[in-house]
Amino acid sequence: MKFMLMMQAPRGSGDWAVMSWPPKAIQGHIAYMKTLYNDLKSAGQLVDAQGLAPPADARIVRANDSGKPEVTDGPFAEAKEFLAGYWIVDVASKDEAYAIAARASMAPGKDGQPLHLPIEIRQVMAAPEV
């Protein structure tokens, strides 16, 4: 079973406040995330994991009537939280995905204490067999 685990950024100004942390705190946070990445990879559970650019760089694209892209700012003009990154994991059960999400939620923050980040979990659906 594949699941997408979506890490929400800590509350703040709607930008990635982590970048204003002291260097040692940033290094600790990144080290934690690298360890999680390597552990999931070693266990054969990691499909993909990426950090995302801040919301200021996000755009909404819709096709106009002629099929050409119309690009607008967005999607989170007033948001205080946003999707900061994700993991796609391949595990045997939802409980395994929940355990990985709980571990990711414990990433250390500015003061070295766990952030208890909210991690949204969605199962990756397979195409129906035809």
Side-chain angles (χ1 to χ4, degrees), residues 19-87:
M19 300 316 289
S20 66
W21 292 358
K24 186 174 181 178
I26 294 171
Q27 291 165 356
H29 184 81
I30 291 171
Y32 185 93
M33 292 302 186
K34 282 183 176 180
T35 298
L36 176 58
Y37 177 95
N38 289 330
D39 289 351
L40 294 174
K41 189 173 179 181
S42 294
Q45 297 173 310
L46 184 67
V47 175
D48 189 29
Q50 302 292 329
L52 301 173
D57 295 341
R59 300 293 180 264
I60 296 291
V61 178
R62 289 183 180 85
N64 63 20
D65 289 338
S66 65
K68 301 231 186 284
E70 289 184 358
V71 182
T72 59
D73 289 347
F76 311 111
E78 297 297 322
K80 300 294 184 205
E81 296 177 340
F82 59 92
L83 183 62
Y86 68 90
W87 297 263

Side-chain angles (χ1 to χ4, degrees), residues 4-20:
M4 182 176 216
L5 286 59
M6 296 169 277
M7 180 178 70
Q8 304 298 318
R11 295 183 198 277
S13 64
D15 202 352
W16 197 206
V18 169
M19 300 316 289
S20 66

